[in-house]
Amino acid sequence: MHNNGGREGLAFSGAFCALKEPSTQAPDRTVMFSQGVEMSFTFYDIEGSHLIANDGEFIGQISGEFDEKSIINEFGPHGGEFNDKSISNEFCNYGGEFSDLSPYNEFSQTPPRLIKGNKVIAYVTKNEFLSPRIDPDVLLAMTKREAI
């Protein structure tokens, strides 16, 4: 349900990801947010940031698959599809499409936030009306592709 099937650069419920060609420097990504706001950042700009739910719960970190706190560590508490503090678990509050705390609820006004250095980078959400935002599927795909 949350898998985009490897179709990068396509629409994800209103969120678009326009990927630039990689260069010899650090990979660059341009992610278009809702309401016509466009932000450019590299994976390294968000690497190490924390995913914090609106209830204050830490629900993962943007890091490599072997980091216990990573949102892409399938065996960790924040990356597994069966863990209750994972956005990959569609049956929990943080990953289900009907929970106000989930990035997959396209109507939620209280999705998780991506925070780095006490600064909110973006909402992680399918809700097209929140800005700045990044689609959770785009975030997961970018992290899987770029994290070491």
Side-chain angles (χ1 to χ4, degrees):
M1 175 154 102
H2 301 316
N3 187 348
N4 68 9
R7 296 173 300 207
E8 298 167 0
L10 298 180
F12 300 101
S13 298
F16 295 87
C17 181
L19 301 178
K20 295 180 182 177
E21 291 299 316
S23 68
T24 56
Q25 300 176 358
D28 185 47
R29 302 288 180 258
T30 299
V31 178
M32 294 177 60
F33 294 94
S34 63
Q35 308 300 320
V37 176
E38 185 175 314
M39 295 181 64
S40 295
F41 59 91
T42 66
F43 170 77
Y44 303 101
D45 293 332
I46 63 170
E47 184 176 27
S49 59
H50 294 167
L51 192 57
I52 306 295
N54 196 60
D55 64 359
E57 187 71 47
F58 172 83
I59 54 174
Q61 181 171 295
I62 309 306
S63 56
E65 68 179 309
F66 299 111
D67 184 334
E68 181 183 5
K69 298 176 184 176
S70 178
I71 63 170
I72 62 168
N73 181 340
E74 295 177 10
F75 303 105
H78 307 291
E81 65 182 283
F82 301 110
N83 295 318
D84 64 349
K85 291 186 174 82
S86 171
I87 64 169
S88 297
N89 182 345
E90 63 186 285
F91 301 107
C92 76
N93 285 336
Y94 304 114
E97 67 180 299
F98 301 109
S99 170
D100 286 339
L101 298 173
S102 172
Y104 290 99
N105 179 341
E106 63 185 288
F107 303 106
S108 176
Q109 296 294 309
T110 57
R113 298 165 318 279
L114 200 54
I115 298 175
K116 187 171 186 178
N118 294 324
K119 181 181 176 188
V120 175
I121 297 172
Y123 292 104
V124 179
T125 184
K126 293 279 190 182
N127 185 337
E128 297 178 26
F129 298 103
L130 293 179
S131 181
R133 67 185 270 273
I134 187 168
D135 184 283
D137 292 324
V138 172
L139 179 64
L140 287 166
M142 180 188 295
T143 303
K144 287 177 183 177
R145 183 178 54 250
E146 302 292 340
I148 296 174

